[in-house]
Amino acid sequence: MADIETVAVIGVGTMGEAMVGHIDEGGYDVYAYDVDYEKAREAVESQATVTDSLEKAVRPAEMIIIAVGTYEQAKSVVCDTGGILESATAGDIVAISSTLSPEQCISLSEDLSDEEIEPIGAPTCRGEKAARRGDLLVFVGSDRSVYDRARLVLEQFSSPENVVHLGPVGSGQAAKAANNALLWSSVVANQEVLLLAEAYDLDLDLVRELLQKSTGSNWALGGWDWMHTKWAHKDMDIISDMAKRQDVRIPSLALTEQLVQEIDQDELDRTR
């Protein structure tokens, strides 16, 4: 197959916008689409072409990256009128970067494969700051041949050592779900510990600095100044569904699912 020269990014939120910029800097022709066309035009500062329809972004691209927030949005991008199933060409690659369950990723991939479109699961980790830096970690699930074709594009917002092939479609989403379960478990524990430190009139900045040097260190604590729980409910729903499907007991994560939803944002802000 010919090298990929043109890429479409669907969903120009924080992550999608950063992907657009890095891929454009890598020398690719980039098309970007978001349901909020004016917001996307304002957000994209690169030479990428922002289109006013999904079809206009998909048709010229050899690789399409889905960077929307939910399964319902991803399904719409694939299946709706003018969407990928109608507008992509056989042999095109569709990278599902959205945080979905493995089963949701597999379902979308089957829809794509029926039209001879090549699916690849490629969710990312490390958050918004890493996206801006182009230092995301990419968990890949796909046929090896599809991974080999898509890898150079994925490396534009990551690096060769951080684009990792884990297995067939769905594997990347399973690994991302495991990562997020540990993230939210850390957030719950951090919040409780910091509230306890506050009750003892400790300097929270100093406590956080010391904990990051000690055995209690964790990624969420290092990014506490901008930590939020916006996606916690969705992420923990995915973990719960995975556990039920595989008949795996997850008592501590089930408790995390409950507790993370009880975190008050104002209370969290107080511990920054």
Side-chain angles (χ1 to χ4, degrees), residues 10-31:
I10 311 303
V12 190
T14 301
M15 305 302 283
E17 176 198 342
M19 289 176 181
V20 168
H22 292 302
I23 297 169
D24 176 74
E25 289 175 1
Y28 294 85
D29 293 328
V30 184
Y31 290 79

Side-chain angles (χ1 to χ4, degrees), residues 35 88 98 131 134 168 178 191 201:
V35 291
S98 304
Q191 177 71 351
D201 296 323

Side-chain angles (χ1 to χ4, degrees), residues 7 9 54 56 60 68 106 143 156 179 216 226 232 236 256:
V7 179
V9 177
L54 180 57
K56 290 178 182 177
V68 297
I106 290 168
D143 290 343
Q156 301 308 308
N179 173 85
W226 47 270
M236 295 310 298
T256 294

